[in-house]
Amino acid sequence: MLENVQNLRDQIESISLTNKEEAEQFRLQFLSKKGAIQDLFKEFRNVPAEQKKAFGAALNELKQLAEGKHKEALEGFESTAATGVNGDITRPGTPAELGAIHPINAIKDEIVDIFKRIGFNVSVGPEVEDDWHNFTALNFPEEHPARDMQDTFFVQRNPDWALRTHTSSVQVRAMESNTPPIRTISPGRVFRNEAISARSHCIFHQIEGLYIDKDVSFADLKQVLMYFAEEFFGNAKIRMRPSYFPFTEPSAEVDVWWGLETEVDHKITKGTGWLEVMGCGMVDPNVLKASGIDPEVYSGYAFGMGIERIAMNRYQIPDIRLFTENDKRFLEQFKTGV
Ligand code: PHE
C-alpha cells in the first residue's frame, strides 16, 4: 500500500504544469473526488491496523504536495499574465511613441549647419546678461530707448543685469575671448518686454553671425548672405535696404525673394514678393574697440535673424504662441520618418 503512495508521489512530482488547461487536468486526475488520491483514501480501510498510521501520514503528505503544486502553478499563471513576461510573445507589441523635433530647433539646426559648412563655429552665452555685453559694448548710447524698462526685463535685485534682448551679447563675448579671425554663429533665446499676440512674444529665438578678419568688406557680407539664401530658401536673390543698428555701420535690412505665385505668397510677403528675414551690417569700430580688437587692423560683419519668424513662414504657422504651448496636436505635425 505504501508503495502505491510512493508511485503516485513520483508520478505527481514528474509532472510540470505550464498552462491553465494542464493545471485543471492535474486537478481532475489527482485532487478531485474521483481523483487518484481520493481513491487511495478509500483503500484506507483495507490497510492492516499496524500500517494505518504510516499510510495515513504518507497519504496526507501526498495530498498536501499535490494541492501545493496546483496552487503554485495557478498563482504563477496569474503573475505572468500581469507582467506580460512569458505571455503570448506572438501578440503585437505596444509601439513606442516617437517624439518630434521642435520646429524652432529644426530651423536652428538647419541654419547652424549651413554656416558650419563655410567655417563658422557655434558660440553660446548666458541668458541673464550684464549691461556691458547686452548694450554698452554694442555701442548703445546711454539714453537709447532699447534700454528702457519697457523693452528690457531687468533683474530687480541688480539693475545691471537683464535678460538678454538679443544674442549680439554672445558676439561681444566671442570677440573678447578670441583673436581674429573670428567666424561664429550664436543661436539662443532672447527676451523682450512686449505684449504677447499672434505675431509677437516676450520670449523668442535669434541666431546671429559674426565674422572678423583683415579686409572684411560689405561685399563679403552680401556674398555670405546670398549663399545662405540659396541654401536655406533655395534662392540667392536678395535685396538690402538701409537700416540702423547701434552696433553696425552701415546697417541693412535683408529681404529674400520669396515669389508671388500663390495666394499664400501674397499673404506672407504682403503683396511684394519679398520676405524680410534679417538685420545686418559692418561691425561698428566702437564695438571692435570695446571688445579689444583694433579697428585699424580688423573689420567685420554681423547679421541676425529671428527663428520664430522664419519657422512661421516655412511651416505656415499662424500664431507664435503655438511654439510654447506644448500642444501635442501641434508638435506631432513635425514628426519625421516612422
Ligand atoms: N541684434 C539685432 C536685433 O536683435 C539683429 C542684428 C544682428 C542686426 C547683427 C545687425 C547685426 O534685431
Side-chain angles (χ1 to χ4, degrees):
M1 272 297 147
L2 268 175
E3 221 174 283
N4 290 349
V5 176
Q6 189 54 46
N7 286 344
L8 198 53
R9 191 185 177 104
D10 290 346
Q11 196 185 341
I12 286 173
E13 278 176 342
S14 70
I15 291 174
S16 64
L17 303 175
T18 56
N19 57 42
K20 283 189 177 168
E21 289 73 39
E22 284 175 10
E24 180 59 8
Q25 190 57 41
F26 178 89
R27 190 188 66 80
L28 290 172
Q29 191 180 347
F30 300 104
L31 290 167
S32 67
K33 284 214 172 78
K34 290 176 182 153
I37 295 176
Q38 207 56 42
D39 284 348
L40 279 181
F41 272 109
K42 284 176 197 153
E43 297 291 327
F44 195 72
R45 53 191 144 90
N46 304 328
V47 174
E50 66 278 11
Q51 285 180 20
K52 271 195 179 1
K53 198 174 166 203
F55 181 78
L59 204 49
N60 272 323
E61 212 179 288
L62 180 64
K63 192 181 170 199
Q64 273 170 20
L65 175 85
E67 280 173 352
K69 183 166 180 141
H70 181 248
K71 191 168 163 238
E72 210 174 281
L74 287 185
E75 281 171 2
F77 301 146
E78 290 291 313
S79 70
T80 54
T83 59
V85 177
N86 294 336
D88 180 355
I89 59 166
T90 62
R91 281 172 56 200
T94 316
E97 242 191 276
L98 276 190
I101 295 178
H102 194 280
I104 295 297
N105 270 335
I107 297 282
K108 182 201 80 183
D109 289 346
E110 197 178 325
I111 296 174
V112 165
D113 208 55
I114 289 170
F115 284 99
K116 269 190 174 170
R117 268 182 256 149
I118 53 169
F120 281 73
N121 63 16
V122 175
S123 312
V124 289
E127 291 182 344
V128 179
E129 198 42 287
D130 53 34
D131 179 272
W132 172 257
H133 292 98
N134 198 79
F135 295 126
T136 304
L138 286 163
N139 201 33
F140 277 78
E142 206 55 63
E143 72 289 358
H144 195 279
R147 294 180 182 221
D148 196 291
M149 300 301 262
Q150 275 162 19
D151 287 320
T152 308
F153 289 113
F154 288 94
V155 175
Q156 209 172 14
R157 210 154 42 86
N158 183 348
D160 186 46
W161 289 344
L163 298 181
R164 67 181 177 200
T165 58
H166 51 187
T167 45
S168 305
S169 56
V170 183
Q171 311 197 330
V172 175
R173 288 177 179 276
M175 287 189 280
E176 283 173 342
S177 55
N178 293 288
T179 49
I182 298 168
R183 276 183 218 89
T184 194
I185 189 120
S186 36
R189 203 155 57 139
V190 300
F191 309 83
R192 289 185 196 175
N193 192 358
E194 279 170 17
I196 299 173
S197 70
R199 305 291 304 174
S200 93
H201 208 293
C202 57
I203 302 177
F204 56 101
H205 296 76
Q206 283 189 333
I207 187 159
E208 300 211 0
L210 175 75
Y211 178 37
I212 312 277
D213 204 349
K214 286 178 181 155
D215 302 322
V216 178
S217 72
F218 202 89
D220 296 319
L221 169 60
K222 188 169 179 194
Q223 195 59 44
V224 85
L225 295 182
M226 283 166 67
Y227 158 77
F228 168 70
E230 170 80 57
E231 295 296 305
F232 190 85
F233 294 98
N235 185 352
K237 196 168 154 191
I238 63 171
R239 72 176 184 188
M240 296 167 112
R241 288 175 289 108
S243 184
Y244 172 77
F245 300 102
F247 35 91
T248 46
E249 181 61 34
S251 304
E253 209 76 58
V254 182
D255 300 340
V256 173
W257 179 250
W258 179 273
L260 258 187
E261 275 155 40
T262 67
E263 218 176 292
V264 173
D265 294 343
H266 276 265
K267 213 180 103 199
I268 291 180
T269 66
K270 301 190 184 90
T272 66
W274 293 98
L275 188 66
E276 188 188 316
V277 288
M278 66 175 103
C280 69
M282 300 306 291
V283 180
D284 193 292
N286 286 340
V287 174
L288 294 175
K289 239 185 276 170
S291 310
I293 292 172
D294 186 352
E296 299 296 329
V297 182
Y298 295 105
S299 56
Y301 60 71
F303 56 86
M305 57 197 125
I307 300 182
E308 275 79 356
R309 256 259 296 275
I310 291 176
M312 286 167 85
N313 290 323
R314 157 87 56 103
Y315 301 120
Q316 286 302 293
I317 297 166
D319 193 320
I320 197 169
R321 290 168 289 202
L322 286 162
F323 291 120
T324 43
E325 278 169 357
N326 278 336
D327 188 328
K328 270 182 86 181
R329 292 167 302 180
F330 172 73
L331 297 171
E332 277 171 351
Q333 293 178 54
F334 300 96
K335 276 187 183 172
T336 48
V338 197

